[in-house]
Amino acid sequence: MEINQRYPGCRKYTKLSALVKLYNLKAKHGMSDVCFTELLILQGDLLPEGNTIPTSMYEAKKTLCALGLSYEKMHACPNDCILYRKEYEDSTNCRSCGISRWKEGKDSILKEGVPAKVVWYFPPIPRFKRMFQSHETSKSLTWHAARKSIDGQMSHPADSPSWKLLDDKWPEFGNEPRNLRLALSSDGFNPHSSLSSRYSCWPLILVTYNLPPWMCMKRKFMMLTLLISGPKQPGNDIDVYLEPLIDDLKSLWDGIKGVYDAHNGEYFTLRAALMWTINDFPAYGNLSGCVVKGYKACPICGDDTPSHRVEKWPQNLLHWA
């Protein structure tokens, strides 16, 4: 029996393709890990003896690693000063605040090797390459350039002035319809309870606007790139956690050579540009560094924001308060 067959004599699915189909169902319908494990066990019982279907979520993940869509766990300073990467990779203490890299136990003893804070990073470049390796998705990524009806109305981000400005300013980028136009969405939430603020989780998601409108906002095309979790939100220090993503975005702007386009059957150099952010007003201030509250809080007017200070409250208002 071939090692990649589901069972002896199976010609329609390999072990990997069957597992990918099952995992897509899990993601589509929000299936829990326990439920998925039980489904795999049932699949193994229903198939003939000698089948290679994994019997647990752990084994399934090990098999899916063959797709190359892995993630990186990066150690971070608990005070959001640095990521332990590049020149800080071998450091054991933060060079800014001096706090230890390792977690402190209840007995106040450092647990060497156990990081105090971890950030999950999902590199987008391998995922973009995988999108172009799908014939249907690769075709959809050039929908904005191949569409037939352009009626002068804004029905897609390609009709926006910012899209056209990018084409005019960098025509070599705009002339290749496969180059990606991206938006970055971020916000914080408490995954445990809406009534407690003792824990914060900040996902950063990339949205690909090359796709047609009925596809670009679907969950499977919203690409999680960064997951920041901890007892407090990163605030203005979120730029520290954006470092690996910015490095990859710079590489995408310079161009990634040797990307295979399954629709056209050729290799090309992929480039991408981050054009927009999607977030609420406080998160906008964190990502852009603009003041969004108090004095000169208008991010459009900036220093020209008119402001008037109330010198003295009237007595009747003070009495009412």
Side-chain angles (χ1 to χ4, degrees), residues 181-198:
R181 322 290 179 110
L182 307 173
L184 179 68
S185 177
S186 177
D187 201 358
F189 68 96
N190 185 345
H192 302 303
S193 172
S194 59
L195 301 179
S196 173
S197 59
R198 297 178 60 186

Side-chain angles (χ1 to χ4, degrees), residues 76-94:
C77 172
N79 292 329
D80 307 324
C81 300
I82 60 169
L83 289 177
Y84 289 98
R85 59 191 297 266
K86 293 185 176 180
E87 67 269 24
Y88 303 121
E89 186 175 0
D90 298 324
S91 300
T92 56
N93 292 82
C94 176

